[in-house]
Amino acid sequence: MTQENFNHELLRFLHASPTPFHCVQNLVTALEETGFTLLAEEDAWHLERGGRYMVTRGDSTFCAFIVGDDDPDSASLRIVGAHTDSPCLHVKPEPDIDRQSCRQLAVEIYGGALLGPWFDRDLSIAGRVSYRDAHGGVSSVLINFQKPVAVIPSLAIHLDREANARREINAQQHVVPVLSLAAEDEEFSFGDALREQIEEEYGKLDIDLLLDFDLCLYDCQAPAIVGLADEFICSARLDNLLSCYTGLKSLENASPGGATCLLVCHDHEEVGSTSASGAQSPFLADVIARLFPERETRQRAVQRSLMISADNAHAVHPNYADKHDPNHRPVIGGGPVIKFNANQRYATSSETAALFRNLCIETGVPVQAMAMRNDMACGSTIGPISAAETGIAVVDVGIPQWAMHSVRETAGVRDAYYLHRVLQAFFAS
Ligand code: CO
């Protein structure tokens, strides 16, 4: 697969995955086409050597694996980890607001969203809706309005002359999307719009009552290759769907050695990973236990294993270069970044970093290193949590990007493909 094809499909994946639910659905569909069988956690598993399987939890966390050797003297895992969620505006349970002749939607901020860029964008809505059918059963469907259905207008500069110097954004007051103009004689309910959308996507379903939903807003602008020399990828959710997609492509094309190759994509990273399906859940450990049911074999395999936790890194910004430590300024196009933090906000050790550097040498891929300024707080990833939950050695890496957690982020056209080459070599090792 060429870099151009790889990036072209990446853009499609980003566009088709406005929520973690859609991301997982797309991961499942893509791997079904390449011979992976979908398992359910509640069923008995009969895994075969060389078999390709996948499993989901909560519709928004995903794991796929190719079963390797289970000989206690040599069994091991090659794991790639990423996350399916991104900061966004999440619809509140009682969302209807009617004021100043406008119908608006009450939203909650999910994760550490950069709010400024959400203003004046063409916004749509997607997610999961659960309903009660005529027999009293509960079912869920994914919906995606696709077209722009909302906008959060800025306040004009004439009404706030200080806007460029100091405009504060109050998340309760100012980030309230407008859906439509209110007709005086008509009661509006967001639930009616949901029913119409479900009918549009699925035809007449047996819906007695809508029970609940998990919906978020997203920017309709399609991902694009940008720049005079076509060097940038601009899109929403690069953090961290870019890593999910890169992991997918690497596993899909993997020709494993003896190790079990595994991709895990967790939900809820942006809110701390503590949930039934987040990195702090037993999900990954549960899958590993079913791969190696015998306890000592599992413990020995875990000690021979490595996880590459892939989550984008901050590239140095030409307009804000002093936000980076002078010796640690990863650049866009400079290859994957190994993330270091002595206080274990990243799980990288000198040993796991060395293994990653060695893979980069073998694949001819440039590699960069990142450590935060000492006077700034360091972010974290699923790396340290996964290490703590499984006992597996982890290296935290990521491709460099700008504008992390904006509604439109920027990365480079070379870096995801570089990472893909390294991950392929990792799965083959
Ligand atoms: Co991230």
Side-chain angles (χ1 to χ4, degrees), residues 83 85 239-240 269-270 310-312 339 380-381 404-405:
H83 65 87
D85 59 323
D239 170 16
N240 192 20
E269 190 275 343
E270 298 293 357
D311 198 352
N312 298 353
K339 306 178 189 180
S380 194
T381 68
M404 194 176 286
H405 293 188

Side-chain angles (χ1 to χ4, degrees), residues 255-278:
S255 38
T260 292
C261 295
L262 187 149
L263 169 68
V264 63
C265 300
H266 281 289
D267 196 2
H268 300 143
E269 190 275 343
E270 298 293 357
V271 293
S273 296
T274 309
S275 72
S277 57

Side-chain angles (χ1 to χ4, degrees), residues 73-93:
D73 288 328
S74 55
S76 68
L77 291 140
R78 304 277 177 275
I79 302 175
V80 171
H83 65 87
T84 60
D85 59 323
S86 304
C88 66
L89 308 183
H90 191 265
V91 182
K92 281 185 172 171

Side-chain angles (χ1 to χ4, degrees), residues 98 101 103 181-188:
D98 210 326
S101 299
R103 283 166 182 163
L181 296 172
E184 256 170 42
D185 48 348
E186 230 179 280
E187 273 288 290
F188 171 71

Side-chain angles (χ1 to χ4, degrees), residues 308-389:
I308 297 179
S309 156
D311 198 352
N312 298 353
H314 300 296
V316 65
H317 191 307
N319 304 346
Y320 302 90
D322 61 350
K323 292 292 181 187
H324 277 66
D325 178 276
N327 282 4
H328 302 89
R329 292 181 168 170
V331 294
I332 284 184
V337 181
I338 306 177
K339 306 178 189 180
F340 293 87
N341 181 258
N343 296 299
Q344 299 298 306
R345 301 283 293 162
Y346 299 128
T348 311
S349 71
S350 56
E351 209 165 33
T352 60
L355 291 169
F356 190 80
R357 288 186 195 278
N358 201 36
L359 288 168
C360 292
I361 290 171
E362 281 172 12
T363 46
V365 164
V367 61
Q368 313 184 77
M370 162 79 178
M372 284 296 282
R373 284 180 63 109
N374 296 340
D375 52 4
M376 284 171 67
C378 185
S380 194
T381 68
I382 62 164
I385 298 166
S386 304
E389 290 297 324

Side-chain angles (χ1 to χ4, degrees), residues 405-418:
H405 293 188
S406 169
V407 79
R408 194 139 178 108
E409 303 173 323
T410 300
V413 292
R414 282 194 233 147
D415 299 306
Y417 191 66
Y418 279 146

